[in-house]
Amino acid sequence: MVLEGNPEVGSPRTSDLQRPGNKGSCVLSSVGEEAQPGEEPIKYGELIVLGYNGCLASGDKGRRRSRLALSRRPHANGVKPDVMHHISTPLVSKALSNRGQHSISYTLSRSHSVIVEYTHDSNTDMFQIGRSTENMIDFVVTDTSPGGGAGEGPSAQSTISRYACRILCDRRQPYTARIYAAGFDASSNIFLGERAAKWRTPDGLMDGLTTNGVLVMHPAGGFSEDSAPGVWREISVCGNVYTLRDSRSAQQRGKLVEKESNVLQDGSLIDLCGATLLWRTPAGLLRAPTLKQLEAQRQEANAARPQCPVGLSTLAFPSPARGRTAPDKQQPWVYVRCGHVHGYHGWGCRRERGPQERECPLCRLVGPYVPLWLGQEAGLCLDPGPPSHAFAPCGHVCSEKTARYWAQTPLPHGTHAFHAACPFCGAWLTGEHGCVRLIFQGPLD
């Protein structure tokens, strides 16, 4: 039977309402304003999936893409907590049968569940992210391979939830974006079963964590030349911040971090246990290089006519229009241990050290010898600096500040491991620094 609240949607008894406070769920706010016809869309920010370097191999299509801009909707679709019910399990299906009523169900036992009904919030826009291709998912994300390259097809063993998380953006300035674990399914419900981590908060509300969790890291000092990696935290279904669990799917939650919030900042990383997303604000993107600037840097580097110090052939970075296929004849190659740039050659192999190991003819250091590729996802760059450094061992080229930041940023991997990775292709970084300064030889004439 219903113990708290009225089961009729939209007509709760005021005395039975249980609404979240500052540390519960969504904060109730005043009525927002609708977008005017013909009005230029207001951009809240952009989500960039690490590991795709600007575009999926099959091309960005619809909701399946490497980058998505979140803009103010014509009409608000946000929701906020309204009424909390204590009900017996046989009544759960009946209570959740209304597809137009958003709700979160917390199963405490076989005979007891708590359902929190959500109501329309005209002051926010909601965007949902997950592996599902159903219409309620705004951004379809699949697993990114940690070894360099992204798996774009559906995976039977995917660890990304079908309804991984949701982001609520204020429709009024400063257009604050907040992230919450879990998204609403086709029936507008979120279910936390008996085995899911869940608990009652000190103010009598409910909260919980998803199976593999949603982790967030806010960079220290913003996402700029002075940035440093922050601390990874876990976000709950109600948007509270917790320290990490012992393992990704452990039932025991971490400790509440009261001084931190679920508000996304420029450069915030969102990990969905299989793919990591970067949040960029419109102001932050103005500081990032543009594709036009990246192309100008490529042409400037080629105009310097760098040469192979042994073969004396002129080197040139290929046009991004070619895509990353087989290296062309003028492609620069690098010894990732020392940074000496050459043209391709077949000597110096050290097969006793591995098939990719070569000895640099200039300094005799032995290490991977790989082609250089320019990083083409401008949103991953901290500054518009020249392409002077390459990640090891994949050979993606970017500015020094960008290379050093990502080389120092541990990204979640598996159930409890962290490893720095190239943001452009997802390859795990190796070597002492994870990146190397490129040493070019200019033309002899």
Side-chain angles (χ1 to χ4, degrees):
M1 59 181 295
V2 177
L3 299 181
E4 293 189 45
N6 191 317
E8 293 297 328
V9 175
S11 58
R13 294 200 303 269
T14 305
S15 59
D16 290 332
L17 290 183
Q18 295 202 21
R19 301 184 185 275
N22 292 333
K23 284 296 176 181
S25 243
C26 311
V27 177
L28 299 182
S29 52
S30 60
V31 176
E33 54 190 12
E34 300 293 346
Q36 299 301 316
E39 186 180 24
E40 181 72 17
I42 294 173
K43 183 190 292 186
Y44 298 130
E46 293 193 22
L47 289 168
I48 303 170
V49 187
L50 304 189
Y52 290 95
N53 199 20
C55 185
L56 305 186
S58 59
D60 289 348
K61 302 172 185 177
R63 295 171 295 142
R64 178 72 177 97
R65 53 203 313 113
S66 66
R67 183 171 182 162
L68 181 72
L70 305 188
S71 301
R72 190 164 72 169
R73 299 182 184 275
H75 303 286
N77 74 328
V79 294
K80 58 189 176 184
D82 190 23
V83 186
M84 185 168 75
H85 304 284
H86 287 260
I87 65 176
S88 56
T89 302
L91 296 178
V92 171
S93 59
K94 180 179 179 180
L96 301 180
S97 62
N98 184 359
R99 288 176 175 249
Q101 176 71 55
H102 288 78
S103 64
I104 300 181
S105 174
Y106 302 85
T107 302
L108 303 181
S109 68
R110 295 183 179 180
S111 60
H112 184 201
S113 293
V114 175
I115 297 179
V116 178
E117 291 183 353
Y118 278 62
T119 188
H120 174 66
D121 182 3
S122 59
N123 205 38
T124 60
D125 285 334
M126 181 171 65
F127 302 89
Q128 300 209 133
I129 305 163
R131 179 169 46 88
S132 172
T133 58
E134 295 175 271
N135 291 334
M136 82 291 302
I137 298 298
D138 298 284
F139 195 15
V140 179
V141 178
T142 54
D143 298 72
T144 302
S145 301
E152 297 180 25
S155 173
Q157 298 181 351
S158 175
T159 49
I160 300 176
S161 171
R162 290 181 300 160
Y163 319 104
C165 67
R166 62 197 191 277
I167 295 176
L168 266 68
C169 302
D170 290 344
R171 290 171 62 84
R172 288 181 173 176
Q173 293 183 347
Y175 308 118
T176 303
R178 297 177 175 85
I179 185 168
Y180 302 82
F184 295 99
D185 62 16
S187 299
S188 301
N189 299 314
I190 294 174
F191 294 92
L192 294 181
E194 281 191 70
R195 296 185 179 181
K198 71 186 81 67
W199 58 92
R200 186 181 294 274
T201 61
D203 49 5
L205 303 174
M206 295 298 300
D207 202 356
L209 305 173
T210 55
T211 301
N212 290 327
V214 174
L215 308 187
V216 172
M217 188 271 281
H218 304 302
F223 196 68
S224 64
E225 298 181 19
D226 300 322
S227 292
V231 180
W232 283 100
R233 304 296 194 193
E234 181 163 10
I235 302 298
S236 72
V237 171
C238 294
N240 289 315
V241 182
Y242 291 86
T243 59
L244 301 187
R245 289 178 270 183
D246 291 337
S247 66
R248 199 71 189 244
S249 58
Q251 288 187 302
Q252 182 63 39
R253 71 177 188 273
K255 296 181 179 179
L256 177 67
V257 185
E258 296 187 14
K259 294 183 180 180
E260 299 181 19
S261 75
N262 62 336
V263 174
L264 294 176
Q265 308 169 13
D266 187 43
S268 291
L269 289 173
I270 304 167
D271 188 82
L272 305 179
C273 195
T276 305
L277 285 62
L278 173 70
W279 173 258
R280 297 304 311 269
T281 62
L285 289 172
L286 290 176
R287 298 190 297 267
T290 63
L291 291 178
K292 186 175 182 179
Q293 287 176 313
L294 292 180
E295 175 59 18
Q297 289 179 349
R298 184 187 73 86
Q299 294 181 8
E300 183 178 353
N302 291 344
R305 296 173 56 222
Q307 289 190 340
C308 174
V310 177
L312 302 182
S313 59
T314 300
L315 308 176
F317 286 102
S319 168
R322 285 187 59 249
R324 180 168 180 170
T325 54
D328 64 14
K329 295 181 180 179
Q330 289 187 294
Q331 185 103 18
W333 287 62
V334 66
Y335 288 90
V336 297
R337 283 198 62 194
C338 59
H340 286 115
V341 179
H342 292 67
Y344 179 76
H345 54 74
W347 63 78
C349 295
R350 291 292 181 267
R351 299 198 180 279
E352 72 276 7
R353 298 277 297 274
Q356 301 297 326
E357 300 290 296
R358 300 282 190 96
E359 181 181 272
C360 175
L362 297 184
C363 66
R364 318 295 285 183
L365 281 176
V366 177
Y369 178 62
V370 299
L372 292 175
W373 305 91
L374 290 172
Q376 291 299 315
E377 179 48 82
L380 301 176
C381 301
L382 275 75
D383 67 333
S388 60
H389 284 63
F391 289 107
C394 61
H396 275 104
V397 180
C398 59
S399 70
E400 178 180 4
K401 295 284 188 179
T402 299
R404 295 196 183 281
Y405 173 79
W406 289 108
Q408 297 171 4
T409 302
L411 300 178
H413 166 65
T415 58
H416 57 269
F418 291 82
H419 206 294
C422 170
F424 299 107
C425 70
W428 295 354
L429 302 186
T430 59
E432 183 180 356
H433 302 292
C435 61
V436 63
R437 182 175 67 87
L438 298 176
I439 303 174
F440 289 91
Q441 175 172 298
L444 299 179
D445 55 352

